[in-house]
């Protein structure tokens, strides 16, 4: 990974977010960013490009002094979308059985 110059105070948070934000929560709480800008930053951090090779549940983001958990990034994205429920979605409705046209012919003895 390359090192990002984090000493520049005039860097845009979108181009070098690790220089401005230390965690997904910091991104969510940043009042200077719009929701789409926050989504851009968090989505880029979630990218497999930053996955730690031996531990894919962690992200090693250039310019950040520590790894970030993918689960924390995804939770921040869900909060940004207004979904505060950290539980995975429950199973859907009634299972459907598809009709097979050839099955009716088999029952008729054709």
């Amino acid at each position: 990974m390359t090192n990002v110059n984090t000493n520049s105070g005039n860097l845009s948070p979108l181009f070098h977010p690790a220089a401005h934000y230390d965690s997904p929560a910091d991104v969510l709480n940043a009042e200077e960013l719009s929701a789409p800008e926050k989504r851009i930053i968090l989505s880029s951090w979630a990218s497999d490009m930053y996955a730690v090779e031996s531990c894919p549940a962690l992200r090693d983001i250039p310019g950040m002094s520590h790894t970030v958990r993918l689960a924390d990034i995804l939770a921040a994205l869900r909060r940004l979308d207004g979904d505060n429920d950290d539980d995975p979605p429950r199973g859907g409705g009634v299972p459907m059985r598809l009709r097979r046209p050839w099955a009716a012919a088999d029952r008729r003895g054709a």
Side-chain angles (χ1 to χ4, degrees), residues 82-94:
D83 180 10
N84 292 325
D85 186 12
D86 286 334
D87 295 330
R90 293 186 303 177
V94 178

Side-chain angles (χ1 to χ4, degrees), residues 28-107:
L28 283 180
N29 295 328
E31 294 178 7
E32 68 275 9
L33 295 175
S34 67
E37 291 170 330
K38 292 175 184 183
R39 187 171 285 104
I40 289 169
I41 292 169
L42 293 169
S43 296
S44 71
W45 287 359
S47 169
D48 287 342
M49 177 174 62
Y50 297 127
V52 174
E53 188 173 334
S54 61
C55 191
L58 294 177
R59 296 297 184 257
D60 187 14
I61 300 161
M64 213 176 263
S65 63
H66 60 280
T67 58
V68 179
R69 291 179 349 137
L70 176 59
D72 294 340
I73 298 169
L74 296 177
L77 282 166
R78 283 193 302 274
R79 283 190 53 208
L80 191 59
D81 290 336
D83 180 10
N84 292 325
D85 186 12
D86 286 334
D87 295 330
R90 293 186 303 177
V94 178
M96 292 179 52
R97 226 173 246 209
L98 299 176
R99 291 186 175 253
R100 297 173 288 179
W102 63 89
D106 290 344
R107 283 185 296 206

